[in-house]
Amino acid sequence: MKYRKLGRSGIKVSEIGFGAWTLGLDWWGKKIENEDAIKILKRAYDIGVNFFETADMYGKGKSEKIIGQVFKDMRNEIIYSTKWGYDMYSHQQIRHNEIPQKHNIDFLQFALKESMSRLQTDYIDVYSLHNPKIDAIKNDLLFNMLDDLVSKGDIKSHGVALGPAIGWEEEGLYAMKNRNITCLQTVYNILEQDPGRSFLNADIDAQNKKNIQDKTYDVGIMVRVPDASGVLTGKVTEATILKENDHRSYRKKEWIIEAMKKIEKMRPIAESRGWTIPQLAIKFILSQEPISVVIPTVLDIEELDSFAEMADGKYLNKFEMNQIQELYENNFYVSSMIQN
């Protein structure tokens, strides 16, 4: 496993992180029993994964509780990244519908205390706003409080997780330029590069200027949905029948058919290096310096091992990256419908 710095925080994170939402929700076609969840988490640790990304609302705290149970005796070796902002304490989520948000100071302090209790820790490494709207990101008092929590040691850093759907460019760029965030989480993959490219370019531009007064300087990008909901791993094709509760059912069949055609255009690049399409997809992401960690969706140990093996330091060169960018810019763009 290779490791990178998480933005300006200096926190070292594994290039492949563990997206723990599947431990609390059955939205990916499979319910993971607690016994299996514990085995997967322990395997992740054994192969060098140290970054575990979750949220308080994943299973109404279930995901956090399992992580806290497994790693309570090795806390200093593990990076806890969790999110807050949905009022799961007063509202019941029905299927995939969003529940009301509370991005305010009182709820921040309350939610943080509850998450620390479930995770069995007295600090959180990365504490991110969960799918915030622009009014929350522009709330000076809220971000002053987050900065104070860093000063007090309750959290080591804070960030913004964009969503639920792909997009939210205005929110992401505002947070990068105007807030002391360590990281920004976004959907980004070889088929869906926008608005991720805007965030990557803003970070690169700030680093080239070496202007530490520019808040975009050294913001680590955390990538979710790196496999385009299974399309890039071959687990989802136009023939795949998904249950209504499966998150991937938001992908329209027409989108999947078009995506499969675009994958074929990439295949020669993968084959020239002896790689599969899934390997190309992950290595494409890890070939970009501003990206700190890739957070794939994992359902079992086999998938976990497969993703971890891709973080080997053997990534795309400049010529290959240019090839992919040319494909993308020349009618390669695919619109999407994805929520998380």
Side-chain angles (χ1 to χ4, degrees):
M1 179 62 65
K2 303 295 182 181
Y3 299 85
R4 299 187 179 193
K5 183 168 61 72
L6 184 65
R8 67 173 68 89
S9 72
I11 298 172
K12 291 294 182 67
V13 299
S14 49
E15 289 187 342
I16 301 296
F18 189 100
W21 74 302
T22 54
L23 305 186
L25 300 167
D26 61 351
W27 288 1
W28 214 248
K30 177 182 178 181
K31 179 181 179 180
I32 300 177
E33 301 298 334
N34 286 6
E35 182 178 340
D36 291 329
I38 292 171
K39 290 179 180 178
I40 297 171
L41 287 171
K42 289 183 176 179
R43 175 60 179 174
Y45 171 79
D46 287 342
I47 61 177
V49 174
N50 75 341
F51 186 83
F52 293 84
E53 211 284 325
T54 185
D56 54 10
M57 69 172 295
Y58 293 162
K60 295 198 74 170
K62 180 181 178 182
S63 177
E64 289 182 330
K65 286 180 180 178
I66 295 174
I67 291 173
Q69 174 188 345
V70 171
F71 298 122
K72 62 181 179 180
D73 294 328
M74 56 188 77
R75 176 65 184 93
N76 292 334
E77 302 175 49
I78 304 300
I79 307 302
Y80 287 168
S81 173
T82 193
K83 303 185 289 293
W84 68 282
Y86 283 106
D87 187 10
M88 68 174 194
Y89 302 95
S90 303
H91 298 84
Q92 182 69 35
Q93 187 173 27
I94 300 175
R95 299 181 58 181
H96 296 209
N97 294 329
E98 276 197 275
I99 59 176
Q101 293 184 337
K102 275 190 178 181
H103 284 117
N104 60 53
I105 291 175
D106 290 340
F107 191 69
L108 162 61
Q109 295 173 310
F110 170 77
L112 175 60
K113 181 179 178 181
E114 294 296 311
S115 284
M116 288 196 294
S117 175
R118 287 188 291 266
L119 287 164
Q120 301 187 51
T121 183
D122 57 1
Y123 69 94
I124 303 293
D125 298 282
V126 185
Y127 202 47
S128 296
L129 279 73
H130 199 173
N131 300 343
K133 308 301 187 291
I134 193 65
D135 58 335
I137 294 177
K138 289 186 175 181
N139 187 330
D140 292 337
L141 293 177
L142 181 62
F143 279 88
N144 287 340
M145 174 60 73
L146 286 163
D147 290 338
D148 287 344
L149 290 170
V150 173
S151 298
K152 294 176 182 177
D154 293 330
I155 61 177
K156 300 298 183 184
S157 66
H158 60 89
V160 168
L162 301 174
I166 190 173
W168 308 91
E169 182 173 11
E170 179 188 1
E171 288 78 2
L173 290 175
Y174 188 94
M176 291 180 74
K177 294 178 179 179
N178 298 281
R179 301 303 177 196
N180 293 320
I181 59 172
T182 288
C183 52
L184 185 79
Q185 184 177 157
T186 185
V187 173
Y188 181 71
N189 58 66
I190 206 166
L191 293 174
E192 298 167 303
Q193 297 182 37
D194 291 304
R197 292 197 300 177
S198 295
F199 307 141
L200 293 168
N201 290 336
D203 205 354
I204 291 171
D205 182 59
Q207 289 192 46
N208 287 340
K209 292 177 181 177
K210 299 297 182 184
N211 180 8
I212 61 174
Q213 300 303 316
D214 185 340
K215 293 185 185 299
T216 57
Y217 179 77
D218 212 4
V219 173
I221 305 299
M222 297 162 54
V223 172
R224 66 182 179 96
V225 200
D227 62 346
S229 303
V231 174
L232 288 166
T233 61
K235 293 184 179 295
V236 173
T237 69
E238 66 269 23
T240 304
I241 298 176
L242 299 168
K243 295 181 180 179
E244 190 175 358
N245 193 48
D246 194 310
H247 221 40
R248 293 165 294 184
S249 65
Y250 281 92
R251 297 284 190 182
K252 294 181 179 180
K253 186 174 182 178
E254 294 80 7
W255 184 91
I256 296 175
I257 292 172
E258 188 65 20
M260 300 293 289
K261 295 177 182 177
K262 299 190 185 303
I263 288 172
E264 290 307 309
K265 293 182 180 180
M266 294 185 292
R267 196 172 297 280
I269 301 174
E271 291 179 347
S272 70
R273 296 288 293 265
W275 295 342
T276 62
I277 290 296
Q279 287 174 317
L280 176 66
I282 298 300
K283 289 173 180 290
F284 162 75
I285 297 170
L286 290 174
S287 298
Q288 300 172 76
E289 187 176 347
I291 291 171
S292 295
V293 58
V294 179
I295 311 168
T297 297
V298 173
L299 292 176
D300 53 45
I301 288 177
E302 181 181 3
E303 282 187 331
L304 175 64
D305 286 350
S306 176
F307 281 116
E309 288 170 358
M310 298 176 193
D312 57 5
K314 300 175 182 177
Y315 304 137
L316 293 161
N317 58 42
K318 186 175 181 180
F319 174 75
E320 291 163 332
M321 289 295 292
N322 287 338
Q323 282 184 297
I324 292 173
Q325 293 306 319
E326 287 179 10
L327 280 173
Y328 184 80
E329 291 166 5
N330 294 325
N331 199 30
F332 190 69
Y333 178 78
V334 187
S335 61
S336 72
M337 279 286 292
I338 176 73
Q339 292 187 358
N340 190 3

